[in-house]
Amino acid sequence: MSEHETTSETLGEPTRRDFLYLTTGMAGAVGAVSVAWPFIDQMRPDASTLALGAIEVDVSSLTPGMSLTVKWRGKPVFIRNRTDDEVKAAKAVELSDLKDPIARNANIAADAPATDIDRSAGENRENWIIMVGVCTHLGCIPLGQAGDFGGWFCPCHGSHYDTAGRIRKGPAPMNLAVPTFSFVKDTVIKIG
């Protein structure tokens, strides 16, 4: 044992110096976190932004053939209770006739085909269609129940969408997007 070593240092036991190093390090870590926390906390979205993340829409008043436009994340969303004839017309369209063969439905696989069922609310609710109401050409808002295919028509540049929101004619490159949604009740749709 050298003259500067203590018995506890040679035996591997903690010394007072070890305790002081540990305590100082812990105090420094707590101080760093307390200084950094306000900067980290400010990056979280505020309550009004979180509230816009999802909305619930009562669709009990929409009989077949009626539509409703709601605002979600600053964009219009078209909700339509399609008639049986509109569903039949959309089902009759061959995928080879479509300009955009991809469903563009956030609720299913990204590469799903643009069949009527993949564009709608699903098997038991195929009459319901929910889409972001922004033309995929230049971001205009199409008119409902208009155009050559009885769906939506963007008068700005002449894009025609069918009753399933699929682009059929005009400069728009893609189908209208279907946002994430679910039926929380038979007459209430949660979007987002």
Side-chain angles (χ1 to χ4, degrees):
M1 184 160 81
S2 73
E3 68 182 67
H4 295 293
E5 286 183 309
T6 63
T7 307
S8 61
E9 289 174 337
T10 58
L11 298 175
E13 295 176 12
T15 64
R16 183 167 185 226
R17 182 179 301 161
D18 294 335
F19 175 76
L20 290 174
Y21 283 148
L22 182 64
T23 306
T24 304
M26 293 299 287
V30 169
V33 169
S34 65
V35 167
W37 181 250
F39 298 109
I40 295 168
D41 190 49
Q42 69 153 355
M43 290 186 258
R44 292 187 317 171
D46 67 349
S48 64
T49 303
L50 292 174
L52 293 175
I55 60 170
E56 289 188 4
V57 182
D58 182 1
V59 294
S60 59
S61 63
L62 293 182
T63 59
M66 293 181 70
S67 295
L68 174 67
T69 302
V70 296
K71 191 173 184 180
W72 173 67
R73 294 184 179 172
K75 297 177 184 172
V77 173
F78 301 148
I79 301 172
R80 180 153 177 83
N81 186 354
R82 300 182 298 171
T83 65
D84 290 339
D85 289 341
E86 289 173 326
V87 173
K88 285 177 191 171
K91 281 183 170 181
V93 175
E94 296 291 329
L95 288 178
S96 60
D97 294 342
L98 298 175
K99 190 174 182 180
D100 180 13
I102 306 297
R104 312 271 175 218
N105 186 337
N107 302 287
I108 59 175
D111 62 346
T115 62
D116 181 64
I117 194 73
D118 285 346
R119 297 276 306 154
S120 72
E123 288 289 333
N124 298 327
R125 294 189 169 105
E126 195 170 358
N127 57 309
W128 290 100
I129 190 149
I130 296 101
M131 301 171 301
V132 176
V134 176
C135 180
T136 59
H137 179 232
L138 290 176
C140 307
I141 300 174
L143 304 173
Q145 292 72 59
D148 292 352
F149 303 94
W152 288 265
F153 172 66
C154 185
C156 301
H157 300 99
S159 293
H160 297 258
Y161 299 88
D162 67 11
T163 59
R166 300 173 293 198
I167 183 64
R168 299 291 299 280
K169 180 178 170 185
M174 296 181 293
N175 301 324
L176 294 175
V178 176
T180 303
F181 71 89
S182 62
F183 277 81
V184 292
K185 295 179 186 172
D186 284 342
T187 59
V188 177
I189 299 171
K190 181 179 180 180
I191 301 171

